[in-house]
Amino acid sequence: MKKFGLMLSGGGARSLAEIGVLKTLEKHGLIPDVITGTSMGGMIGGFYAAGFTLPQMEKFATEIVVTKMLDAKSPLLYLEESKTGKARQAGYGGIGSSLSILGSKKALDSGRKIEYFLTKTLAEKTFSELNVPFACIAADLLSGKKIVLNEGRLSSALRATISLPLIFEPFEYNGMLLIDGGFTSNAPVDVAREMGAEVVVAIDCK
């Protein structure tokens, strides 16, 4: 049987549908030999490659409280509160004042709590310890190049691939400033092929 690669693209909350794709593949006994992903697709692919079950991943997706993943004074909390109707009373002025802090900050949120969650959940797991060979994509702000992350700690790579500019601060890694890989390769099919995949199933959720 030909070596089977799975590519999971970035796409924000839409990428959660990729968990359903994994369920369907498992149902038919199709387990990828290699996985690549970008941004949220990278997050899902990374957890799956690390051996987390799909029920566990669904639990993370449905039960993680957004406000616990953000800085205590993150302006993004304002946007989250607007869902409850509390922030609507402040009108557009509140959003404007929240965004105005970008004059003195790198992004709306530092990403430290998300980094802590990843580190705590994945422990010290490295790419060499994964059940399935995996790589995710980031972009280097300094060089503008696509960066393929496939060694070292998995938690660091996932923090980098989801670092959407203006939302989360860039992730400092090996002398680079890494941001969301969607800016250079949102659908890294080529990386899956470089990892030996002869057939690649590409799930594009943008």
Side-chain angles (χ1 to χ4, degrees), residues 146-206:
K146 175 178 79 174
I147 304 298
V148 178
L149 299 169
N150 56 10
E151 60 183 15
R153 288 173 53 180
L154 179 62
S155 59
S156 296
L158 298 187
R159 166 65 176 86
T161 194
I162 64 169
S163 298
L164 190 64
L166 300 184
I167 302 299
F168 297 114
E169 290 184 5
F171 185 65
E172 295 185 27
Y173 182 78
N174 288 346
M176 299 178 288
L177 281 179
L178 300 183
I179 60 172
D180 192 301
F183 286 87
T184 54
S185 181
N186 197 51
V189 172
D190 58 331
V191 177
R193 292 198 178 280
E194 290 167 6
M195 293 170 67
E198 298 169 274
V199 176
V200 180
V201 173
I203 310 302
D204 192 347
C205 293
K206 65 182 179 181

Side-chain angles (χ1 to χ4, degrees), residues 72-200:
K73 295 183 179 180
S74 172
L76 290 176
L77 290 177
Y78 177 91
L79 302 179
E80 179 63 19
E81 289 172 359
S82 69
K83 297 177 183 178
T84 67
K86 295 178 182 178
R88 280 196 291 271
Q89 299 173 5
Y92 293 109
I95 295 177
S97 61
S98 295
L99 296 178
S100 68
I101 67 156
L102 287 178
S104 59
K105 294 184 66 174
K106 297 176 183 177
L108 292 172
D109 195 90
S110 71
R112 291 191 194 94
K113 284 193 175 181
I114 288 179
E115 186 176 348
Y116 174 77
F117 163 75
L118 291 171
T119 301
K120 181 180 178 181
T121 306
L122 296 168
E124 297 294 320
K125 191 175 286 288
T126 64
F127 278 84
S128 63
E129 299 172 307
L130 300 181
N131 294 355
V132 181
F134 169 72
C136 61
I137 308 301
D140 179 20
L141 268 180
L142 301 179
S143 67
K145 294 181 179 180
K146 175 178 79 174
I147 304 298
V148 178
L149 299 169
N150 56 10
E151 60 183 15
R153 288 173 53 180
L154 179 62
S155 59
S156 296
L158 298 187
R159 166 65 176 86
T161 194
I162 64 169
S163 298
L164 190 64
L166 300 184
I167 302 299
F168 297 114
E169 290 184 5
F171 185 65
E172 295 185 27
Y173 182 78
N174 288 346
M176 299 178 288
L177 281 179
L178 300 183
I179 60 172
D180 192 301
F183 286 87
T184 54
S185 181
N186 197 51
V189 172
D190 58 331
V191 177
R193 292 198 178 280
E194 290 167 6
M195 293 170 67
E198 298 169 274
V199 176
V200 180

Side-chain angles (χ1 to χ4, degrees), residues 21-39:
V21 172
L22 287 167
K23 283 176 114 176
T24 300
L25 291 174
E26 279 195 357
K27 181 179 178 180
H28 293 280
L30 296 172
I31 306 300
D33 297 300
V34 301
I35 302 173
T36 61
T38 296
S39 196

